Amino acid sequence: MANIKSAKKRILVNRTKAARNKSIRSAVKTSIKKVDEAVANNDKAAAEVALKEAISTISKATSKGVYHKNNCARKVSRLSKAVNSIG
């Protein structure tokens, strides 16, 4: 454990930020799973609704600095491609 006051504060701040990031990442993963499940069931309507929510969740995570913008773009692209493959 740190002895310096500023180091103790950094530890607390880092824990708080890590918990926030973990929560946001978990929400993104959940939204992606919903899209994948709808695609697996060949349910285009449900997939499109889930895709819209997933894109929103991923974009929010990116704007908060949890994901890099290219990572966000890649995730959105893969999900969109999967939904569009339902025919």
Side-chain angles (χ1 to χ4, degrees):
M1 183 67 189
N3 291 325
I4 298 169
K5 186 176 180 181
S6 61
K8 289 179 182 177
K9 182 177 178 183
R10 292 300 334 148
I11 290 169
L12 294 175
V13 169
N14 287 338
R15 282 185 189 155
T16 304
K17 288 184 176 183
R20 176 179 163 266
N21 291 346
K22 188 174 182 182
S23 171
I24 293 170
R25 279 197 178 99
S26 177
V28 168
K29 287 179 188 176
T30 302
S31 65
I32 290 173
K33 285 178 188 175
K34 287 180 182 177
V35 174
D36 289 340
E37 186 178 320
V39 169
N41 293 334
N42 286 328
D43 187 355
K44 185 145 180 113
E48 287 175 349
V49 170
L51 175 65
K52 188 175 179 184
E53 290 180 21
I55 290 173
S56 174
T57 307
I58 294 168
S59 297
K60 285 177 187 173
T62 303
S63 69
K64 292 176 182 177
V66 177
Y67 287 117
H68 189 273
K69 66 177 183 166
N70 291 353
N71 191 342
C72 167
R74 186 179 67 243
K75 287 179 186 299
V76 170
S77 177
R78 286 179 180 173
L79 291 175
S80 299
K81 185 177 178 183
V83 171
N84 290 336
S85 69
I86 300 174

